[in-house]
Amino acid sequence: MLLNPTTFFFSFHLLLSFLTVAATERLYSHSLFIFYILDILNLPSSSFLVMAAEAFWFGVLLLLLPCFSAMAKQTYIVQMNHHSKPESYATHHDWYSASLQSLSSDSDSLLYTYTDAYHGFAASLDPEQAELLRQSDSVIGVYEDTVYNLHTTRTPEFLGLDTESGLWEGHSTQDLNQASNDVIVGVLDTGVWPESKSFDDTGMPEIPTRWRGQCESGPDFAATLCNKKLIGARSFSKGYHMASRGSYLRKPREVESPRDRDGHGTHTSSTAAGSLVANASLLGYATGTARGMAPHARVATYKVCWSTGCFGSDILAGMDRAIVDGVDVLSLSLGGGSAPYYRDTIAIGAFTAMERGIFVSCSAGNSGPTRASLANTAPWIMTVGAGTLDRDFPAYALLGNKLRFTGVSLYSGTGMGNKPVQLVYNRGSNSSSNLCLPGSLNPDLVRGKVVMCDRGINARVEKGGVVRAAGGIGMILANTAASGEELVADSHLLPAVAVGRRVGDQIREYAQHDPNPTAVITFGRTVLNVRPSPVVAAFSSRGPNMVNPQILKPDVIGPGVNILAAWSEAVGLTGLEEDKRKSQFNIISGTSMSCPHISGLAALLKAAHPEWSLSAVKSALMTTAYTHDNTKAPLRDAADGTISNPWAHGSGHVDPSKALSPGLVYDIATEDYIAFLCSLEYTNEHVQAIVKRPNVTCARKYSDPGQLNYPSFSVVFWNKKKRVVSYTRELTNVGPAGSVYRVAVTSPSMVRTIVKPTRLVFNNVGEKQKYTVTFVASQGAEKTSRSGFGSIMWSNPQHQVKSPVAFAWTQLID
């Protein structure tokens, strides 16, 4: 099809407009633009045409984009040598302002001044100004703002927590609830819906006097909405607004306030520390008492995420403020790609939080089952993966050949009845209709029928909306190889069931080869005591840790699939514009959901053991985690049904009841983390950027980063000549005096593990004992092995202190 001159001019005008937006906002999603152009020109979005158009337009984009980029202003985060401030300036803010005024007359260019989480500021600069700043001796680094993404009721019982009292079953920890009243959980997310019953403060005592936070007001948020439960609510949007400035393609500007208009932040904060709410459910699903992990703790929310993402400049401002406000736990269900720690804004902010006694818990990411897909890998951060619960929401697809397949769904409408209707599945080389992308379905072919859609590209719930818009009355959503056997329930807009890859392949075969394929979809509501569980979620990001291979990540997994928690009533259940359904609770999945579980558990442990260090809390959660499911079999991976390993589940699934009394812990001091950073061969400036101390000389550093006293092991055999790796660890007794522990090891056949001594005696509480473990790879193992896994466990009749061990040969890391 040839374009006439008018159409070509119009499309070229759109291209130039898009380039301007791209230069201003750094949006390089040319694929989205191609679909937009094809839609404007009313052209079919076939794979061939899209590929051809992409090749042409992207070539033009590459030629013209530098011209626009040179003119663009954007947010930069500037890291300063905090101790180089001239005495002529009263404050660092004055110094930073003067530095910017020498570059620009724009009085609004300074966005944030950071004092605690980070030393420096965020500013609106053009590339030339950023380069001039880099040349200053007082500047450590100048970095473009980074966009981070969100990693998006039965859990208390599943974790062994008593619903009514909030105490661990089998333990009588005196005054734990009262102690929890003094613990403050800070949540950086999309804000909060303060009217939710999960933030009811009935019976709570006065707010701790040490609290320095506040409830910020906004056009849709009164400061009086906070109470003795929700004690703080702030928002940070300057980075977001800077990135959105000047774009006519952006969404309408959001109201600047702490109010949650997404739902994610309300869900995570109530998961961590929500109050007890009886008869909670999602439209009848998962009915029961909803409560957070630490229901008597306080909540403070920091809105740093907006419709276009979570900007690093806003996240740093939120962390900076939370540290000053006085939170005890920071929960961040967000992240980006991996980067060196001195370039990772979350890692830098978390280091200061750790120094101030604040436990930082972050989601591992939703990029699984791809290997080496982790986010938030710094050792001073608790990195949390996701697993399933023993609760499910079954739905069924009955085919015309009498075969009945089980999947999952949260559909809550009237259903499609019991009469089979025609099943449609269109899989062609030049068609995207099998993916049910917007505009891909022909209404004449799908009207009144059940449509089978392949998972991938667009959101699962959006596929159902596409089917409904085209006249379909039901959907079977089938996994592909990328998502394996993982089943995630969604609150679909029409009768729908999600099935795994193997079942999906059988239904695809039937739909394509039966002369008259039919299907009917029915629903089974809520089922408990599902076996096996937990199972590692396929979406949960995996190791190895590419930032530092000698630190095993994730640390643990927690409940992250089909989690019921409070929800914002400003948005529909699916977040789709056409979804007008509202609910006080919603069920969603992601490592975003598992992270606040661990944040809340850390709050309980801090309340139960105020004398413990942060690393002791982390160690207790890791070394008591379990690696067998409720059938007594090893944990399995939902991606393919195989046995999971520590790159997927870390130390295992958290067991808070056992974490209360771990027996022994691996303690780590701030100076140990500095020695660890020095062992990474960072420059002194890089280390100073993280620890924010002057004159760091790295006089003390480890010979190997794996020497850090971490509760898990990651052993790398770098070449065939280095077949022996030896580490020394130190254990601290937090159990009774006179405890005796003996060691047991497991190793793959190609590695021999030697521990000395094999017996540790702790005569006193708080006593420390060291042991050395030597790992010896067999001759030639590097030729046949890529990875392997084992464990080291110290135990006595009362306690088992277990550490996973991951082995890798250099061909896997390189």
Side-chain angles (χ1 to χ4, degrees):
M1 175 181 178
L2 297 176
L3 303 181
N4 62 48
T6 301
T7 303
F8 183 85
F9 175 81
F10 177 62
S11 62
F12 190 75
H13 171 73
L14 287 174
L15 173 65
L16 292 180
S17 301
F18 175 77
L19 289 174
T20 304
V21 175
T24 306
E25 299 186 8
R26 293 302 191 266
L27 298 176
Y28 301 109
S29 181
H30 63 279
S31 296
L32 177 63
F33 173 70
I34 293 301
F35 280 108
Y36 178 62
I37 289 293
L38 293 174
D39 181 66
I40 289 292
L41 300 179
N42 196 28
L43 298 177
S45 56
S46 68
S47 300
F48 175 80
L49 187 55
V50 170
M51 290 170 60
E54 279 192 334
F56 173 76
W57 291 121
F58 193 57
V60 177
L61 177 66
L62 291 177
L63 288 173
L64 297 182
L65 188 57
C67 301
F68 292 91
S69 296
M71 302 183 297
K73 273 198 170 188
Q74 68 176 93
T75 302
Y76 288 85
I77 297 175
V78 182
Q79 196 164 29
M80 301 289 287
N81 187 332
H82 194 67
H83 305 278
S84 296
K85 180 181 73 67
E87 294 182 358
S88 57
Y89 296 105
T91 66
H92 284 85
H93 178 82
D94 294 341
W95 179 33
Y96 301 155
S97 296
S99 300
L100 287 176
Q101 288 172 8
S102 67
L103 300 176
S104 171
S105 59
D106 185 357
S107 60
D108 295 329
S109 58
L110 181 61
L111 304 179
Y112 293 113
T113 294
Y114 306 121
T115 58
D116 290 85
Y118 201 82
H119 285 170
F121 58 92
S124 170
L125 304 169
D126 62 37
E128 182 179 352
Q129 293 168 334
E131 187 56 37
L132 288 173
L133 275 175
R134 288 189 180 98
Q135 297 172 14
S136 171
D137 292 337
S138 300
V139 174
I140 296 175
V142 180
Y143 311 114
E144 292 185 14
D145 202 359
T146 303
V147 182
Y148 294 82
N149 297 309
L150 295 167
H151 290 151
T152 238
T153 56
R154 179 169 166 75
T155 48
E157 293 94 325
F158 183 70
L159 290 171
L161 295 167
D162 181 81
T163 302
E164 296 302 320
S165 68
L167 299 177
W168 282 285
E169 292 177 357
H171 295 277
S172 55
T173 311
Q174 189 176 8
D175 296 330
L176 178 58
N177 290 347
Q178 182 178 350
S180 297
N181 288 327
D182 291 327
V183 179
I184 303 166
V185 180
V187 181
L188 273 68
D189 214 293
T190 64
V192 66
W193 189 261
E195 295 86 355
S196 170
K197 296 178 182 178
S198 291
F199 306 112
D200 179 66
D201 66 349
T202 301
M204 295 199 74
E206 292 302 313
I207 297 170
T209 56
R210 63 183 175 85
W211 176 241
R212 296 181 293 276
Q214 68 179 54
C215 202
E216 295 179 353
S217 62
D220 59 355
F221 197 101
T224 54
L225 288 171
C226 288
N227 54 27
K228 289 182 286 188
K229 177 66 175 180
L230 179 64
I231 64 173
R234 299 181 185 269
S235 68
F236 303 85
S237 60
K238 293 178 180 178
Y240 155 70
H241 286 315
M242 177 59 204
S244 302
R245 191 162 63 184
S247 168
Y248 71 88
L249 288 179
R250 73 182 189 276
K251 295 181 179 180
R253 178 167 173 163
E254 294 177 66
V255 176
E256 187 173 330
S257 85
R259 183 169 291 281
D260 181 11
R261 297 195 170 275
D262 177 272
H264 192 276
T266 302
H267 199 281
T268 55
S269 54
S270 62
T271 298
S275 301
L276 277 71
V277 181
N279 299 315
S281 73
L282 168 61
L283 304 177
Y285 284 102
T287 301
T289 298
R291 49 149 288 183
M293 296 299 97
H296 299 279
R298 319 284 181 155
V299 176
T301 64
Y302 300 82
K303 184 174 181 178
V304 298
C305 297
W306 305 83
S307 59
T308 52
C310 318
F311 291 84
S313 54
D314 296 331
I315 294 171
L316 268 181
M319 296 182 78
D320 205 54
R321 190 66 247 180
I323 291 170
V324 174
D325 285 348
V327 302
D328 299 294
V329 176
L330 266 178
S331 186
L332 290 84
S333 291
L334 50 90
S338 60
Y341 300 134
Y342 58 85
R343 290 290 309 274
D344 186 336
T345 53
I346 293 177
I348 294 172
F351 192 94
T352 300
M354 175 272 299
E355 278 197 293
R356 305 288 181 87
I358 302 168
F359 187 95
V360 181
S361 175
C362 295
S363 49
N366 295 343
S367 299
T370 304
R371 81 170 187 90
S373 54
L374 292 164
N376 303 314
T377 61
W380 49 88
I381 290 174
M382 187 72 154
T383 309
V384 186
T388 64
L389 290 175
D390 63 344
R391 179 181 65 196
D392 215 345
F393 308 102
Y396 310 97
L398 177 62
L399 306 184
N401 59 7
K402 305 304 181 184
L403 292 179
R404 183 174 182 256
F405 296 103
T406 302
V408 296
S409 182
L410 291 169
Y411 175 72
S412 57
T414 57
M416 57 177 291
N418 297 319
K419 183 179 179 180
V421 300
Q422 188 171 350
L423 174 64
V424 177
Y425 177 66
N426 185 11
R427 177 65 184 268
S429 59
N430 294 323
S431 175
S432 59
S433 60
N434 64 297
L435 290 166
C436 299
L437 299 178
S440 66
L441 297 180
N442 184 342
D444 293 335
L445 297 179
V446 305
R447 189 177 292 112
K449 301 171 184 176
V450 172
V451 180
M452 185 169 190
C453 302
D454 289 339
R455 184 172 168 182
I457 306 297
N458 59 333
R460 300 182 301 271
V461 291
E462 184 184 54
K463 295 176 188 291
V466 170
V467 172
R468 190 177 72 163
I473 64 170
M475 177 180 69
I476 298 175
L477 178 62
N479 285 2
T480 61
S483 45
E485 301 306 317
E486 173 186 62
L487 296 180
V488 179
D490 294 299
S491 187
H492 291 283
L493 293 168
L494 81 173
V497 56
V499 298
R501 181 188 61 82
R502 286 191 291 268
V503 168
D505 286 344
Q506 294 182 62
I507 300 177
R508 291 183 188 98
E509 179 74 15
Y510 166 72
Q512 289 179 306
H513 295 94
D514 191 282
N516 184 34
T518 63
V520 62
I521 301 171
T522 58
F523 305 93
R525 307 306 290 177
T526 304
V527 174
L528 302 179
N529 302 313
V530 173
R531 297 161 69 90
S533 62
V535 175
V536 179
F539 61 73
S540 189
S541 290
R542 313 302 168 94
N545 175 2
M546 300 305 286
V547 179
N548 177 227
Q550 290 97 330
I551 297 296
L552 178 61
K553 292 283 182 170
D555 291 311
V556 293
I557 62 170
V561 179
N562 300 332
I563 304 301
L564 178 75
W567 192 246
S568 168
E569 294 184 52
V571 64
L573 298 178
T574 61
L576 297 176
E577 188 174 344
E578 63 267 31
D579 188 358
K580 306 303 181 183
R581 299 170 299 173
K582 300 295 171 62
S583 174
Q584 295 180 3
F585 292 86
N586 201 359
I587 296 173
I588 56 177
S589 301
T591 55
S592 280
M593 283 62 258
S594 54
C595 170
H597 279 90
I598 275 59
S599 303
L601 294 178
L604 285 177
L605 283 175
K606 283 176 70 74
H609 296 287
E611 76 282 4
W612 280 8
S613 67
L614 298 181
S615 54
V617 172
K618 182 176 184 178
S619 175
L621 288 167
M622 291 175 65
T623 60
T624 59
Y626 58 86
T627 55
H628 286 72
D629 60 32
N630 57 3
T631 70
K632 308 300 183 183
L635 292 178
R636 293 198 169 269
D637 192 329
D640 55 11
T642 60
I643 293 175
S644 179
N645 63 58
W647 281 346
H649 62 240
S651 295
H653 193 286
V654 288
D655 186 339
S657 180
K658 290 184 177 178
L660 179 68
S661 178
L664 305 172
V665 295
Y666 292 86
D667 218 346
I668 306 175
T670 301
E671 298 303 322
D672 298 326
Y673 286 123
I674 296 176
F676 160 79
L677 290 169
C678 290
S679 71
L680 298 178
E681 302 302 327
Y682 287 175
T683 65
N684 286 346
E685 290 75 16
H686 288 156
V687 177
Q688 288 175 19
I690 300 168
V691 306
K692 309 167 197 71
R693 296 184 186 180
N695 306 319
V696 175
T697 62
C698 285
R700 174 184 174 235
K701 67 178 182 179
Y702 297 124
S703 58
D704 181 324
Q707 289 284 9
L708 182 69
N709 199 41
Y710 212 64
S712 59
F713 295 83
S714 182
V715 181
V716 181
F717 298 107
W718 288 105
N719 53 60
K720 62 182 180 181
K721 293 183 179 179
K722 186 177 181 181
R723 295 172 41 239
V724 179
V725 176
S726 184
Y727 292 140
T728 297
R729 291 286 197 268
E730 183 178 73
L731 285 162
T732 302
N733 181 32
V734 294
S739 297
V740 179
Y741 288 83
R742 289 178 172 79
V743 74
V745 301
T746 61
S747 295
S749 59
M750 61 279 195
V751 178
R752 185 161 56 100
T753 302
I754 306 163
V755 178
K756 292 183 179 180
T758 60
R759 180 174 176 269
L760 294 176
V761 179
F762 296 88
N763 294 314
N764 302 298
V765 177
E767 183 178 346
K768 300 178 183 293
Q769 294 282 355
K770 292 183 179 181
Y771 69 92
T772 298
V773 55
T774 303
F775 306 100
V776 183
S778 59
Q779 188 76 35
E782 72 281 356
K783 297 178 181 179
T784 59
S785 305
R786 292 177 58 83
S787 61
F789 304 94
S791 65
I792 297 173
M793 184 172 68
W794 294 93
S795 63
N796 62 20
Q798 291 76 40
H799 300 102
Q800 293 182 336
V801 186
K802 189 175 181 180
S803 297
V805 185
F807 301 95
W809 280 257
T810 50
Q811 66 263 31
L812 183 63
I813 299 297
D814 292 343

